[in-house]
Amino acid sequence: MKNKPIKLSDIAEKLNVSTVTVSKALRGHPDISQKTTKLIKETAEKIGYTPNFMARNLSSRKSNTIGVIVPKIAHFFFGAIIESIYDIAFRNNYEIILTVSQENEKREKKHIQTLLSMKVDGIIISISQETKDYSIFDAVKARGVPIVFMDRIPAIPDVDTVSVNDRLGAFMAIEHLIKLGHTRIGHFAGYSEINIGKERYLGFEDAMNKYNIPINPDWICHGGFGEKAGYDSFIKLYQKNSLPDVIFTVTYPVALGIYMAASELGLKIPDDIDVICFGNAKVMKFFAPPLSCVDQPTELIAEKSMKLLLNKINNPDDKSVNEVEIPTDLVLRGTCRTFNRK
Amino acid sequence: MKNKPIKLSDIAEKLNVSTVTVSKALRGHPDISQKTTKLIKETAEKIGYTPNFMARNLSSRKSNTIGVIVPKIAHFFFGAIIESIYDIAFRNNYEIILTVSQENEKREKKHIQTLLSMKVDGIIISISQETKDYSIFDAVKARGVPIVFMDRIPAIPDVDTVSVNDRLGAFMAIEHLIKLGHTRIGHFAGYSEINIGKERYLGFEDAMNKYNIPINPDWICHGGFGEKAGYDSFIKLYQKNSLPDVIFTVTYPVALGIYMAASELGLKIPDDIDVICFGNAKVMKFFAPPLSCVDQPTELIAEKSMKLLLNKINNPDDKSVNEVEIPTDLVLRGTCRTFNRK
DNA sequence: AAGATTTTAGTAACCGATTAAGTTATCGTT
DNA sequence: AACGATAACTTAATCGGTTACTAAAATCTT
């Protein structure tokens, strides 16, 4: 009962022309006359022909496909970015192969290999929080496959990147806290091996230094970019009886972890502990209290990344290195609005 | 500077065997002796060979790939499901091609064709809210490609489906409201053409009928499953000065729309207007007030869908029709906890 | 020890397209 | 009228594998 898919040769036979003629006609190649092209296109449409993706890509050696690797999906930041990427890809007639590393370096590596074996035309990646071995990225470059690093960027030279102004964004947040009168400021910093961890910490440090506020190492907690990290760090500080007045978190999920821990511990935000995070999400404004944050414009990140990548794909000889930096905004909602010195 | 990817014949030449031998060895075919197999596998590893996905799939006529189509990504429900699907796929050595219809029937159709042309081994789909023409799904079936409908299911016979108990879930929610003393109950119902819209409405109706509470047609609002629908409907009711006491929404985003509208209008949830929705999300518990809902176990939905699909892929002769139904739970948080008759 | 089997490997054909390199017929030039 | 140029197709080769057959060597049978 299995309908065999229609192929080029079916159309060719029917119209008594060669398969090459059909192939060319369908792609609008000037070799073929208007008349024949029209005829072929019409019959192709009529009998419902769709080209075999594999065959086409194998012989043409390109896939019109972009590979995307992200650490997570079910988090607002990546979800929003992915949605935008899909949208842009669709409009440009590209397919997306999305893979998820689950913050796991080995998976990430395997995905990259898969994408290469699929002959994707380019790759957009936000690396996992635990990725330490960057040699795989050299392999990608060696293959001549354009790659754009987005948001989470490894420290390697000469790569195209799109990120937000992490350092300044963090600085602005901390400066705001200080101006509110805060001095006992903590920072849940993720991992410092990776740019977003490092830069955001640096921004934090910049502000603390500028206003001559000592940094309490107890309050600088590392551990990851997810909820668990925020939750665990908070619980630990609480148990050590060493909570700061306010915590700046490296990501939104980390802040979520704090909300979770605080609610379990019966601590009130923002009275007992205040929170501000890097990264925005639509739902924050409905939180109790609405969470203030440093806004990262996801759509813009996606757009710039895609533009950069498509540009590299279409101009293979373009060896330029582009490091796009997107500005951030401080969005003040219910948290970190005021501070009453205890 | 472009490293040519290594191919089968490179290994074959190096070891002085035929490409077929290499191909077989790498796939562990019994034709080849242990010794040669080991040797081939080792050198393949050493020189970093990865098979060309396109070539392999073209000649073998299968792809070890599953196509997934969802209406949205950046919404908790789908995000969570997709994440689980990716996880299961990875563990089973399948690739996922994820596409996003953006609630658009034409895109959805195009994606299906693309997936077919990519020769995916099977498809998991949650159809768009506006999909009316189901003929494309027959085409998929005719091709012999297994397809599993998940959550959003078209009304066509003999298809494999995985859904939650929409009707009962809605019934339980409404019954709870009624037992709280509510009678002025509204329902933002999405579209009734599609199962989740229809069934959840039916559950609503069941409860209203059981307790002999008249349904006010003004309070049954249709329009979609997204935030905009919730927002628009709420504003409209407000302007008509005809708000119910409590609204049951067909999805979580619709409830979000209400939160948004209510906050703009200065109405307090749950005092001025109360809300409960179908569909859960981790962040709801941090809302002001924490949103009560009917929980849909996303992980289970993903798991059942994948299991069903993989089963069909591995047993092509299995013509059974499976309709998996997953139970739901009422999760009470800050909304719809009590009701003081006005 | 000869024939039957099994092991192990190789040959040829093919998957469904695309690209490169012909082949005619037609046309314009001078 | 002879020549090169152009238009419109076709033929052959190729992309990098896999499958179906075939063949030689090794092992087993009786």
Side-chain angles (χ1 to χ4, degrees), chain B residues 77-237:
Chain B
F77 178 70
F78 290 115
I81 284 188
I82 293 166
E83 190 138 313
S84 293
I85 287 180
Y86 267 94
D87 208 56
I88 299 166
F90 184 82
R91 292 203 305 269
N92 287 274
N93 243 300
Y94 270 84
E95 286 302 322
I96 294 290
I97 311 282
L98 174 68
T99 62
V100 187
S101 66
Q102 298 277 23
E103 301 282 16
N104 177 322
E105 177 165 19
K106 272 173 81 175
R107 276 201 190 191
E108 185 174 83
K109 189 170 174 185
K110 193 172 169 223
H111 286 318
I112 292 174
Q113 284 166 338
T114 304
L115 292 177
L116 289 179
S117 90
M118 285 181 159
K119 303 294 176 240
V120 293
D121 294 340
I123 292 176
I124 293 181
I125 184 173
S126 201
I127 68 175
S128 96
Q129 67 183 22
E130 59 176 45
T131 301
K132 301 231 162 58
D133 176 14
Y134 299 152
S135 60
I136 180 79
F137 303 125
D138 295 327
V140 175
K141 275 180 72 181
R143 283 279 192 94
V145 176
I147 182 167
V148 171
F149 294 91
M150 178 185 74
D151 189 56
R152 300 227 204 140
I153 299 169
I156 46 178
D158 302 335
V159 287
D160 289 323
T161 63
V162 174
S163 59
V164 299
N165 197 326
D166 292 295
R167 189 163 181 169
L168 185 61
F171 175 85
M172 292 190 319
I174 303 300
E175 184 170 57
H176 167 76
L177 297 180
I178 293 171
K179 288 188 170 163
L180 241 37
H182 276 293
T183 53
R184 301 164 41 85
I185 304 174
H187 178 32
F188 287 6
Y191 289 114
S192 56
E193 285 82 4
I194 187 171
N195 68 314
I196 61 166
K198 196 170 69 190
E199 295 291 317
R200 290 172 196 178
Y201 174 78
L202 252 29
F204 163 81
E205 201 180 47
D206 289 347
M208 297 296 267
N209 288 345
K210 175 169 175 192
Y211 293 94
N212 260 311
I213 298 174
I215 295 175
N216 180 343
D218 268 9
W219 293 337
I220 310 299
C221 299
H222 293 268
F225 299 109
E227 280 164 43
K228 195 173 175 329
Y231 181 88
D232 290 348
S233 298
F234 191 84
I235 298 278
K236 208 154 72 188
L237 287 187

Side-chain angles (χ1 to χ4, degrees), chain A residues 38-291:
Chain A
K38 186 156 170 270
L39 178 66
I40 289 175
K41 278 191 174 168
E42 277 170 5
T43 58
E45 172 74 20
K46 204 177 66 195
I47 64 178
Y49 166 80
T50 36
N52 181 317
F53 185 84
M54 306 296 168
R56 168 173 277 187
N57 296 165
L58 178 59
S59 54
S60 70
R61 255 140 302 181
K62 60 188 302 296
S63 62
N64 251 264
T65 291
I66 290 169
V68 177
I69 306 171
V70 293
K72 287 271 174 190
I73 290 183
H75 281 6
F76 182 80
F77 178 70
F78 290 115
I81 284 188
I82 293 166
E83 191 139 312
S84 294
I85 287 181
Y86 268 94
D87 209 56
I88 298 166
F90 184 82
R91 292 203 305 269
N92 287 275
N93 243 300
Y94 270 84
E95 287 301 322
I96 294 290
I97 311 282
L98 175 68
T99 62
V100 187
S101 67
Q102 298 277 23
E103 301 283 14
N104 178 322
E105 177 166 17
K106 271 173 83 174
R107 277 202 190 190
E108 185 174 82
K109 189 169 173 183
K110 192 170 170 226
H111 286 317
I112 292 174
Q113 284 165 339
T114 306
L115 291 177
L116 289 179
S117 90
M118 285 180 158
K119 302 296 177 237
V120 293
D121 295 339
I123 292 176
I124 293 181
I125 183 173
S126 201
I127 68 175
S128 96
Q129 67 183 21
E130 60 175 45
T131 302
K132 302 230 163 58
D133 177 13
Y134 299 153
S135 60
I136 179 79
F137 302 124
D138 295 327
V140 174
K141 275 180 73 181
R143 285 278 193 95
V145 177
I147 183 167
V148 171
F149 294 91
M150 178 184 73
D151 189 56
R152 300 225 204 142
I153 299 169
I156 47 179
D158 302 335
V159 288
D160 290 322
T161 62
V162 174
S163 59
V164 298
N165 197 325
D166 291 295
R167 189 162 181 171
L168 184 61
F171 175 84
M172 292 189 319
I174 303 301
E175 184 170 57
H176 166 76
L177 297 179
I178 294 170
K179 288 190 168 162
L180 241 38
H182 275 294
T183 53
R184 300 164 41 86
I185 304 173
H187 178 31
F188 287 6
Y191 289 114
S192 54
E193 285 82 3
I194 188 172
N195 67 315
I196 61 167
K198 196 170 69 189
E199 295 292 318
R200 291 173 196 178
Y201 174 78
L202 253 28
F204 162 82
E205 202 180 46
D206 289 346
M208 297 295 267
N209 288 345
K210 176 169 175 191
Y211 293 93
N212 261 310
I213 299 174
I215 295 175
N216 181 342
D218 268 10
W219 293 337
I220 310 299
C221 300
H222 293 267
F225 300 108
E227 280 160 49
K228 195 172 176 325
Y231 181 89
D232 290 349
S233 298
F234 191 84
I235 298 279
K236 208 154 71 187
L237 286 188
Y238 177 81
Q239 286 171 343
K240 282 169 62 181
N241 205 358
S242 151
L243 279 178
D245 292 332
V246 60
I247 299 172
F248 166 60
T249 72
V250 68
T251 66
Y252 160 49
V254 172
L256 226 45
I258 293 180
Y259 267 62
M260 216 168 283
S263 106
E264 275 182 24
L265 297 169
L267 295 178
K268 278 258 190 283
I269 303 172
D271 300 332
D272 299 325
I273 180 80
D274 212 348
V275 183
I276 190 167
C277 72
F278 206 109
N280 202 351
K282 223 168 6 186
V283 291
M284 284 178 184
K285 64 165 157 263
F286 304 119
F287 280 21
L291 180 53

Side-chain angles (χ1 to χ4, degrees), chain B residues 8 23 27 49 56 59:
Chain B
L8 270 193
S23 169
R27 283 174 295 138
Y49 167 80
R56 170 173 276 186
S59 53

Side-chain angles (χ1 to χ4, degrees), chain B residues 233-252:
Chain B
S233 298
F234 191 84
I235 298 278
K236 208 154 72 188
L237 287 187
Y238 177 80
Q239 285 170 344
K240 281 169 62 180
N241 205 358
S242 148
L243 280 177
D245 292 332
V246 60
I247 300 172
F248 166 60
T249 71
V250 68
T251 66
Y252 159 49

Side-chain angles (χ1 to χ4, degrees), chain A residues 7-8 23 27 49 59:
Chain A
K7 40 188 184 169
L8 270 193
S23 168
R27 283 174 296 136
Y49 166 80
S59 54

